[in-house]
Amino acid sequence: MLHAVIMAGGFGTRFWPASRANRPKQLLNLSGPRSMIQATVDRLAGLVPPERILVVTNERLVGPISEQLPELFRSSILGEPCKRDTAPCIGWAAALIAQHDPEGLLVVMPSDHVIPAVAPFQAAIRLGAELVEHEPRRIVTFGIAPTYPAEIFGYVERGEALAESTAGLPVYRVKKFREKPPIETARAYLAAGDFYWNSGIFVWRARTILEALAERQPAMFAHLQAIAAAAGTPDQQSVLSREFAAIRPISIDYAVMEQADDVVVVEAPFAWDDVGGWQSLARLHADDENCNTILGKHLGVNTQGTIVRGSDDHLIVTLGLRDCLIVHTPDATLVANKHDEEAIRQVVKQLEARGWDEYL
């Protein structure tokens, strides 16, 4: 059976002040009328039933996510007691699924991607599942054909073709995973034509990922096994808190993907955006005649290339601005150069240092 694991533990720091600790970006409506995590679950309709969907988040978000996703069982929303990166997150979900479906297939995905077209997304996931069914120890990832030399995405370098065409989609052996590159390297990747953006979406068997963790991350695997064994018992929470905190943080890329043997990449037939920061809104929403991206009530005079996000009951007026970012919330407003949005992380750190937790 096909199960879905949705990773929803991020804090969305670069989307401050809209993104807060108790309402991070995956719970915000950034690309449409539904929140990002709601849209992620909507995308699975007809592919994976609600009872086979697990969401892994941090424990403070279990309640808010449950409210946004009433179609899921409360027990299907797993709350991590501390942040330990993607490998423990995925391993925990796989260990729970394997208890009742050891041969189960997992599609693993983040909660904060924008994929507008559902049909090609589901077709690609079905193909991934078929590829794993054919070779049970295989790992499948999905590569996005790059359209510009992005420095903000990881890359997948493709090798030989697995087949000329499978269900109309090109499939290749993975030659190597590449970290987020500097601009010159990203340009070289784009020119080479055999690199994809790494979508961070995977298909594999629960057994395969657990065996990989047991082999390459034995200490982590032991902690995850203890957590899974305590599930449903009176000691569940105390065991989870103790064992999860003892895990060394590591990403699934470092823990498994970069060392695995049979990894293939499907060239994704769907549009995709990682929505990493406020400038993503310019890619997701139509610009006005002055290349401004406006969400909310706004009056602009001599304003160009500016991103404004507010509300319909609060007027934002801009005069003589170029390439700015303005985000208004009820208790905090950000005004910045839109090309300097990475520095928002520093703003959040300074708020923490000052003890202004009410703004975090």
Side-chain angles (χ1 to χ4, degrees):
M1 292 188 294
L2 182 62
H3 304 257
V5 176
I6 299 172
M7 298 178 287
F11 291 100
T13 303
R14 284 183 293 177
F15 278 98
W16 187 89
S19 181
R20 304 291 181 93
N22 292 322
R23 191 175 174 83
K25 73 170 180 175
Q26 59 266 36
L27 297 181
L28 301 179
N29 300 16
L30 294 174
S31 62
R34 301 272 281 170
S35 74
M36 303 197 76
I37 195 168
Q38 287 173 327
T40 301
V41 172
D42 293 346
R43 201 175 300 132
L44 294 168
L47 181 68
V48 182
E51 63 270 18
R52 295 208 300 269
I53 297 174
L54 284 182
V55 176
V56 188
T57 185
N58 63 74
E59 59 186 7
R60 73 193 305 175
L61 293 180
V62 169
I65 288 177
S66 296
E67 292 176 5
Q68 288 208 1
L69 301 174
E71 64 269 38
L72 300 190
F73 296 122
R74 179 72 175 237
S75 59
S76 296
I77 303 172
L78 309 179
E80 297 176 329
C82 53
K83 188 176 178 64
R84 286 296 180 265
D85 217 322
T86 54
C89 158
I90 292 168
W92 180 20
L96 293 178
I97 291 168
Q99 287 181 329
H100 57 86
D101 189 9
E103 300 302 321
L105 290 169
L106 274 59
V107 54
V108 179
M109 68 195 72
S111 62
D112 55 0
H113 290 175
V114 173
I115 300 174
V118 172
F121 167 78
Q122 293 197 356
I125 300 305
R126 289 191 175 97
L127 170 59
E130 291 174 10
L131 291 168
V132 174
E133 290 281 12
H134 186 256
E135 293 289 344
R137 295 181 64 84
R138 175 174 287 157
I139 290 174
V140 178
T141 188
F142 300 85
I144 311 298
T147 54
Y148 65 95
E151 302 171 80
I152 59 174
F153 303 141
Y155 285 73
V156 180
E157 183 179 3
R158 74 188 191 202
E160 65 182 7
L162 189 70
E164 286 298 317
S165 177
T166 306
L169 301 179
V171 183
Y172 301 90
R173 303 280 181 190
V174 169
K175 187 174 182 179
K176 193 169 184 178
F177 288 90
R178 304 282 186 170
E179 295 298 310
K180 297 175 183 179
I183 185 62
E184 290 303 322
T185 303
R187 287 174 179 149
Y189 289 169
L190 185 64
D194 53 2
F195 288 83
Y196 295 110
W197 290 333
N198 186 351
S199 70
I201 303 171
F202 312 105
V203 175
W204 46 46
R205 286 190 183 276
R207 184 189 298 276
T208 298
I209 200 65
L210 290 173
E211 288 176 349
L213 290 173
E215 177 185 350
R216 301 181 180 98
Q217 302 291 328
M220 178 195 302
F221 180 74
H223 293 304
L224 294 175
Q225 289 294 94
I227 293 169
T233 72
D235 296 327
Q236 173 177 313
Q237 194 58 44
S238 61
V239 171
L240 171 63
S241 298
R242 181 183 68 248
E243 299 290 334
F244 204 84
I247 295 174
R248 180 174 66 90
I250 187 171
S251 72
I252 196 65
D253 289 343
Y254 285 128
V256 174
M257 302 297 290
E258 295 182 1
Q259 306 174 58
D261 296 323
D262 190 1
V263 185
V264 301
V265 56
V266 176
E267 184 172 307
F270 47 83
W272 170 93
D273 200 302
D274 187 27
V275 195
W278 285 116
Q279 287 200 67
S280 303
L281 297 188
R283 299 193 297 267
L284 300 175
H285 300 276
D287 291 341
D288 66 13
E289 65 276 10
N290 293 306
C291 297
N292 300 309
T293 302
I294 308 300
L295 299 174
K297 184 174 289 187
H298 170 253
L299 171 63
V301 179
N302 192 22
T303 296
Q304 296 180 331
T306 291
I307 299 170
V308 177
R309 186 180 191 270
S311 60
D312 292 333
D313 59 358
H314 181 93
L315 174 64
I316 297 175
V317 178
T318 59
L319 173 62
L321 296 186
R322 183 185 298 270
D323 292 346
C324 288
L325 168 63
I326 300 170
V327 182
H328 175 78
T329 70
D331 66 345
T333 300
L334 172 69
V335 181
N337 182 322
K338 74 176 184 182
H339 300 298
D340 197 28
E341 67 175 353
E342 191 66 30
I344 295 175
R345 296 182 186 275
Q346 298 303 317
V347 172
V348 172
K349 288 181 179 179
Q350 290 199 30
L351 292 174
E352 291 174 342
R354 292 176 181 232
W356 291 357
D357 294 346
E358 65 271 28
Y359 300 110
L360 296 173

